[in-house]
Amino acid sequence: MKNFFNEFKKFISRGNVMDMAVGVIIGGAFTAIVNSLVNDIFMPMLSLITGGLDIAGMSVSFGIGENAAELKYGSFLSAVINFLLIALVVFCIVKLLNAAKDKVIKKPEEEPKAPTTRTCPYCMSVIDIKATRCPHCTSELEPEGARG
């Protein structure tokens, strides 16, 4: 049993687990901010546009009385707006991080490859660099390295 707890302690203290825990906590706090943004700012502005209609409170009742089934599509619309805002912010953060990473981590310059073709000086056709005779005009050519 002691070995089990030691393994658990080793697992929980690894960097990835701690990073994930911090991410979940920050994500929860960020969700509260986005919910407030949607419920306290966007929904009232949307309500102004729609003539005072409370979108978050929109619903359809199926039946009569307190126990009637209620389809709360306004609440669903709020959740969709929350999702879109969170997705937009996450997209922007990832885009910024990738741009920063590209600036910090520079890709090594590739060496230019040696040419594999050349141009025949007589007919201007593209030929293999090792050719000693042009396959198009049959002119004799100097080997590529022989020119001075």
Side-chain angles (χ1 to χ4, degrees):
M1 191 68 153
K2 186 176 182 180
N3 191 27
F4 175 80
F5 285 115
N6 285 336
E7 285 183 48
F8 180 71
K9 180 180 164 187
K10 186 176 178 183
F11 168 77
I12 203 73
S13 64
R14 289 170 64 190
N16 296 348
V17 175
M18 292 299 178
D19 292 344
M20 185 179 72
V22 168
V24 169
I25 292 167
I26 297 292
F30 181 70
T31 300
I33 292 170
V34 172
N35 283 335
S36 176
L37 178 68
V38 169
N39 295 330
D40 301 333
I41 295 175
F42 282 125
M43 285 305 185
M45 288 190 327
L46 204 56
S47 175
L48 284 173
I49 294 170
T50 59
L53 189 64
D54 178 24
I55 294 174
M58 295 170 66
S59 65
V60 174
S61 293
F62 297 106
I64 301 172
E66 277 185 33
N67 296 329
E70 197 172 3
L71 182 67
K72 298 181 180 183
Y73 62 91
S75 179
F76 175 73
L77 288 174
S78 288
V80 169
I81 293 171
N82 280 354
F83 169 76
L84 291 174
L85 285 173
I86 290 172
L88 175 69
V89 170
V90 168
F91 171 76
C92 291
I93 289 171
V94 168
K95 191 168 177 70
L96 285 172
L97 289 175
N98 285 339
K101 184 179 80 172
D102 289 344
K103 285 184 179 181
V104 171
I105 302 171
K106 295 181 181 176
K107 296 178 182 173
E109 297 284 329
E110 289 186 21
E111 293 182 24
K113 295 181 180 178
T116 58
T117 59
R118 64 179 172 155
T119 305
C120 174
Y122 302 104
C123 69
M124 304 309 271
S125 298
V126 177
I127 59 173
D128 189 86
I129 200 160
K130 296 178 183 173
T132 55
R133 186 175 290 270
C134 177
H136 302 284
C137 67
T138 67
S139 300
E140 285 192 37
L141 306 170
E142 294 179 18
E144 184 60 24
R147 283 187 262 169

